[in-house]
Amino acid sequence: MITGLRQPAHRAAVAGAAVAAVLIWWLPDFALPGDVLAAAAGGGGLLVLNAAAVMLPGVYLSQVLTRREVHRSLQEWVRGLPLPGPAKIALVVAGIAPTVEALTGFGVSLLVTVPVLLALAPPPTALRQAMLGMNIMPWGTLGLATLIGAGLTGTQASALGTATAVSSSLVFPLVTVWAALLARPRRRFRTAAMAAGAGGALSLGLLALNRAGVVQPAGVVAGLLTTTVGLVLCAVRRSRSGTERPGRLLPPRTVVHAYGLVLGGIALTRAATTAGVPRLELHAGNASFALLSSPGLPLLAAALLLDRGRPHAQDARAALARVGRPLLALTGFVALGLLMADSGMIGELGAAVAGAPPLVTALAAPALGMLSGFITGSNVGGNALMMPLQERIAPGGMGLDTWFAALQNSAAGHAVFTSLPMIMLILAVAGDRAKTAGVSEHSLLRFGLKVAAAVYAVLGATAVALVSFA
């Protein structure tokens, strides 16, 4: 429905769930007893609640940041940084874009990165670089996809986050180098080495934070750390040459204030739960929802504090309008995934793949994950659709369940940048600049598929290594 009939994801998701329900009713091979159905409905409801509790406050905060011109301040600061063009592009792709996207999600970072990159390069190059900046997705919207994936597989979020950071570790240097080289720098090797260092810093930051159990704000903090390292190196170089004042490298106070409120709120809720404050949990099926552990509260609190405690009705309505369809699509994909898993459909698919050699399964896993991200246009939707199958097809007896779930999480997230909804959003933000330059949906899709092939090669090599050494 999505790729052939160009139907929106929420319609395809609901239709898929309806077809699954009909097959369960029609075919005796797929049974779903009432008690199992009730548990699945409760668990699915809590998974959707987990998502809604982050999506609504996150989009509301992005509306507040746009209205208060925090995004505009960030754009102007990045444009004015005293850095060479390729270095600035690497900083945007590996530092600033991940920070903004991990905080808000839904492609909001494009509101910052597209205008900045259009000021640095011709539109065909800039829009391709903006696509490459959308690869933080497993930690986008404060790690929502990873949290949902952990809930679907019954895995600790920190364990899935750490495994995802390992499987994605080579992707971030890859896309950062690609983005920097698109600028056609004179010193290609030096530029590639610099960009690889920026992408590597992001990968190391994500790995360290997830291993420490800091999953939700990992993308924000890792992006900030990467940005800080780049600015410190620039400040050292400039101070030695005496050509620039380090003060110009500091971000605007409004940006620091807004991001600090969110991170401070997350730290405060973590400290409260560590001190023994009840997390206000709900449990159903294999899922749970803890109000005090959800990043939704810090997001909402930051938005209200920025507006001095006064809710903004117009921003709230805009947030509800933007979240409605993605949330409906997620609900449909969660329902579809749970119906297929609990009725035995996933088991049948897993059994069909189980007879294949482990190396074949390893190569299939990232392909399935990337397909799910491309089709749904969402890391969360891709995980809801394919995560139960990925866990089931992991070669038995090797302890690879979590690693295959991580491959799904990585692959779905790293394919979202080339999905049609994301490409349309990039073209919408670019506006007339894209039309005048002749940049089309088809040309960006072709470019995205080339990058996706390289990403698949990296993830496939990682999967083969995991199976070989398990």
Side-chain angles (χ1 to χ4, degrees):
M1 288 183 67
I2 294 173
T3 58
L5 302 179
R6 296 294 184 96
Q7 292 297 307
H10 66 281
R11 293 183 184 174
V14 172
V19 170
V22 169
L23 290 176
I24 292 168
W25 169 77
W26 183 30
L27 299 175
D29 293 338
F30 305 131
L32 193 60
D35 57 339
V36 175
L37 180 61
L46 288 188
L47 287 173
V48 174
L49 179 60
N50 270 295
V54 180
M55 292 164 70
L56 282 166
V59 175
Y60 178 69
L61 174 63
S62 75
Q63 293 290 132
V64 173
L65 294 178
T66 301
R67 174 169 49 81
R68 299 187 70 85
E69 297 194 338
V70 175
H71 288 150
R72 181 180 293 275
S73 298
L74 185 57
Q75 287 174 16
E76 294 173 353
W77 171 67
V78 176
R79 283 178 183 170
L81 284 174
L83 293 170
K88 194 178 293 188
I89 289 165
L91 193 66
V92 168
V93 171
I96 293 165
T99 300
V100 179
E101 192 62 27
L103 182 72
T104 56
F106 295 94
V108 170
S109 63
L110 295 170
L111 300 177
V112 175
T113 60
V114 169
V116 168
L117 293 169
L118 282 171
L120 299 174
T125 300
L127 299 189
R128 285 162 172 78
Q129 291 165 335
M131 289 176 70
L132 295 173
M134 293 296 297
N135 265 285
I136 194 64
M137 289 305 186
W139 294 273
T141 320
L142 290 175
L144 180 59
T146 300
L147 297 177
I148 294 296
L152 287 167
T153 57
T155 308
Q156 289 288 333
S158 58
L160 181 58
T162 301
T164 303
V166 173
S167 61
S168 294
S169 60
L170 297 178
V171 174
F172 297 113
L174 169 68
V175 297
T176 309
V177 169
W178 202 315
L181 292 181
L182 281 174
R184 300 183 182 278
R186 281 190 244 175
R187 300 179 177 178
R188 294 178 65 83
F189 180 79
R190 182 176 176 179
T191 298
M194 174 271 302
L202 179 61
S203 295
L204 289 173
L206 289 169
L207 180 59
L209 289 164
N210 282 273
R211 286 200 66 177
V214 183
V215 179
Q216 294 171 353
V220 181
V221 177
L224 287 174
L225 289 174
T226 304
T227 304
T228 302
V229 169
L231 295 178
V232 168
L233 291 175
C234 179
V236 171
R237 181 183 174 190
R238 295 277 169 170
S239 63
R240 287 177 178 174
S241 64
T243 57
E244 286 287 347
R245 293 177 300 165
R248 290 189 60 184
L249 299 175
L250 298 176
R253 183 178 300 177
T254 55
V255 176
V256 174
H257 180 222
Y259 282 58
L261 285 174
V262 177
L263 295 176
I266 292 173
L268 185 62
T269 55
R270 286 179 66 89
T273 55
T274 302
V277 176
R279 299 199 305 166
L280 305 176
E281 291 184 275
L282 296 174
H283 296 273
N286 294 324
S288 64
F289 171 74
L291 179 62
L292 201 58
S293 297
S294 171
L297 280 180
L299 288 169
L300 181 59
L304 292 175
L305 287 171
L306 287 171
D307 278 337
R308 299 180 182 179
R310 294 191 297 270
H312 195 274
Q314 187 173 352
D315 285 347
R317 287 194 293 269
L320 285 170
R322 286 182 61 189
V323 167
R325 287 188 175 183
L327 196 57
L328 181 58
L330 173 62
T331 303
F333 285 124
V334 167
L336 174 57
L338 291 175
L339 285 172
M340 293 180 68
D342 293 334
S343 66
M345 293 183 191
I346 294 294
E348 291 290 332
L349 290 171
V353 179
L359 290 180
V360 174
T361 305
L363 292 173
L368 290 171
M370 294 188 77
L371 180 65
S372 69
F374 175 78
I375 288 175
T376 64
S378 163
N379 199 171
V380 178
N383 283 355
L385 180 66
M386 204 71 73
M387 186 69 83
L389 176 60
Q390 293 278 29
E391 189 186 29
R392 191 67 63 92
I393 68 173
M398 296 184 180
L400 292 174
D401 294 3
T402 300
W403 285 107
F404 267 61
L407 284 170
Q408 163 63 33
N409 196 23
S410 295
H414 299 317
V416 168
F417 80 96
T418 194
S419 66
L420 294 176
M422 197 60 65
I423 288 174
M424 297 306 295
L425 179 57
I426 290 171
L427 292 173
V429 175
D432 292 337
R433 294 286 301 276
K435 293 179 182 178
T436 304
V439 182
S440 65
E441 172 188 336
H442 184 63
S443 64
L444 291 183
L445 179 59
R446 274 204 323 266
F447 169 75
L449 291 177
K450 290 179 184 178
V451 180
V455 170
Y456 170 75
V458 169
L459 293 177
T462 302
V464 169
L466 289 171
V467 170
S468 300
F469 295 105

